[in-house]
Amino acid sequence: MGVTVRIPAVLRSLVGGRAELVAPAGLLRDVLDAVGHESPELVSRVLADEGSLRRHVNVFVNEEDVRFRELLDTPVREGDCVTIVPSIAGGR
């Protein structure tokens, strides 16, 4: 079963156009590491060079923002859903 990782439209070109990936359960850092083996470019958009979450990217586990949990140490269980939401700015 694994963990579903939802990819926003703006980042799908980095994963061959797919809307979802599947990764093994673990801590969020483990899930992102598994996704990074398949798509390092995607993970580089989510994580800063020092390994922390980028400021302008929100990550949710089952609709709960990991910034209000344990960040990259947030547990992600079988059947959970990780959603990546980059902040979008612009307009008038």
Side-chain angles (χ1 to χ4, degrees):
M1 175 186 258
V3 172
T4 301
V5 180
R6 292 188 179 149
I7 311 299
V10 69
L11 298 177
R12 289 183 189 159
S13 64
L14 303 174
V15 293
R18 292 176 290 173
E20 294 181 344
L21 301 174
V22 176
L27 297 177
L28 178 58
R29 73 177 66 254
D30 302 325
V31 172
L32 293 175
D33 185 53
V35 168
H37 282 54
E38 188 172 343
S39 177
E41 297 89 8
L42 173 65
V43 174
S44 72
R45 299 280 181 99
V46 175
L47 298 178
D49 291 338
E50 74 279 356
S52 64
L53 286 174
R54 288 192 182 275
R55 244 178 44 174
H56 300 293
V57 176
N58 298 307
V59 179
F60 298 85
V61 173
N62 298 331
E63 300 179 14
E64 189 172 352
D65 191 333
V66 300
R67 293 185 201 283
F68 300 108
R69 293 191 62 196
E70 294 93 51
L71 296 169
L72 293 173
D73 291 324
T74 300
V76 184
R77 295 175 177 79
E78 291 284 325
D80 282 354
C81 182
V82 173
T83 305
I84 299 169
V85 182
S87 297
I88 308 258
R92 297 174 96 154

